[in-house]
Structure formats: structure tokens, C-alpha cells
Amino acid sequence: PVAPWQVYDVPLEPGALRWIREREGLGDAWREEDYVCEQRWAASEDGTQVPMTVVYRKDLALDGSNPALLAVYGAYGQCVETDWAVPRVSLLERGWVLAMCHVRGGGELGASWHSAARGLKKLNSVHDLAACTRELAKQGLSSHPKMALCGASAGGLLVGAFVNAHPSLVAAAIAKVAFVDMANTMADPSLALTIPEYEEWGDASDPEIMTYIRSYSPYDNVKLQRYP
């Protein structure tokens, strides 16, 4: 997350790599040695250790005063992207902490990590994310009133489910192209993507699965409460 992509020429014969260029970098305007990139762990509700990739400026005081942006996905066995990205630079330079939360449902720890938060286990993703916010606060990297959450598509579903269940744990939430009307969507097999999605969310024609989906579907759980 702190190192721009580097392009090298790799000779077939033995010899040193030849550096060609830096891709999407900022040249001398960016000093990766001024930043910390580390893995931290949060204990989820059932004791599972959830990894986070955390990036911040070395000179930050870890006293809970820093704003933090938490990125999350947690579905389809896909990993949260931790690559270098120029848009993050502005936040890092202004003292933000960036935390990529590798909750269950993603693929960061293999197929079993994905299986541990799909179908009738989806709420593990929500529990994991709550644990990540609490651990960041416990370690002084940020505090709940200074945390923002961001997720897209299935990650947006997780953002929606999370703020319904834990509205006080973050101050802001960004749900991009979010899959929020789960119950109605998964109950309609005439929609193009519904049946292929059974593997991830379950077949909503099964009453047990529909009850479970309704327990976290963002659209179905909006309530009168203070939201981020």
C-alpha cells in the first residue's frame, strides 16, 4: 500500500534486474519510508482472529485522535485490494489511518475463510468488522467518532448491515452500488443474477435461509435510530 508499482526488465540470462520506471507513482513527492504498513489482528465475537492491513504516517500520535477509513468487502472469496493507490495519498498525508479489514467471506485466508461467512454464516462478516473497529480504537489508531467505513457492491451490503446493527461504531459510511434489497432480490428467481447467487447467499425459497437473510438484509432492517 505504500510502494508504487515498479516496472523492471527481467533478462533471461543471469543478471540483475533492470529498473524501467515507476507506474502511477509520485516520484520524489512520495517517501514510502515516512509511512508505516503493518498487519494487525482483531478478535471477533467467536474468538476468530481477523487480519487488518493498516497504513499510517510514522509521526502520528496513537492517542485515538486520528481519523480512519476502513475498507471492507467480505464476499465471493475476493480479497480487499491492498495495492498502491494514488487517491489514498491525500488521506495519508493529512494524517488519516487506512485500514483494510480482511473479514470472513473474503479469500485472504483461503477457501475456508470464504465459507466461514456465506449462506447461513454471513453475519460473521458483520461481527468481524465490529471487532476491527474496536481493535483500532483499543490500539489508539483512531476512535469510533472518527472512523469512516467504505464498501462497494457486496461490500456495500456489509456496510449497510453493519450500520443497522452497530450505528455507534463509525461516524460515516459510504456504500457504493450497494446490494441492499437482498430479501426481495433473492426471492425472485426470474432476475438474471438471483439463481447464480444461491451459492453465496443461499436459496431464499428455503424458509430457514429467507429468515436468516431478512435478519441482516440492509433494506429490511432500517430502524428509527441515529445513523452515521
Side-chain angles (χ1 to χ4, degrees), residues 114-132:
H114 172 216
S115 297
R118 65 183 182 90
L120 293 172
K121 298 179 180 179
K122 183 58 194 171
L123 282 171
N124 281 336
S125 297
V126 178
H127 301 326
D128 291 357
L129 184 53
C132 290

Side-chain angles (χ1 to χ4, degrees), residues 39-105:
Q39 185 177 75
R40 300 209 178 198
W41 298 82
S44 194
E45 187 175 276
D46 60 1
T48 298
Q49 292 293 313
V50 181
M52 297 181 284
T53 301
V54 183
V55 186
Y56 55 94
R57 218 170 56 202
K58 278 184 179 178
D59 61 356
L60 287 190
L62 303 186
D63 58 3
S65 64
N66 310 306
L69 178 64
L70 287 70
V72 70
Y73 190 71
Y76 303 110
Q78 298 296 310
C79 303
V80 174
E81 292 186 3
T82 58
D83 296 346
W84 160 266
V86 171
R88 295 174 180 160
V89 172
S90 175
L91 294 177
L92 289 169
E93 287 185 337
R94 288 183 288 152
W96 282 67
V97 173
L98 302 184
M100 284 67 88
C101 302
H102 307 297
V103 303
R104 281 174 286 183

Side-chain angles (χ1 to χ4, degrees), residues 21 31 34 56 75 81 85 101 149 168 175 185 195 214 219 227:
R21 64 186 175 88
R31 287 167 45 88
D34 292 341
Y56 55 94
E81 292 186 3
C101 302
L149 181 60
S168 65
T185 300
I195 292 177
R214 286 196 183 280
Y219 180 83
Y227 278 94

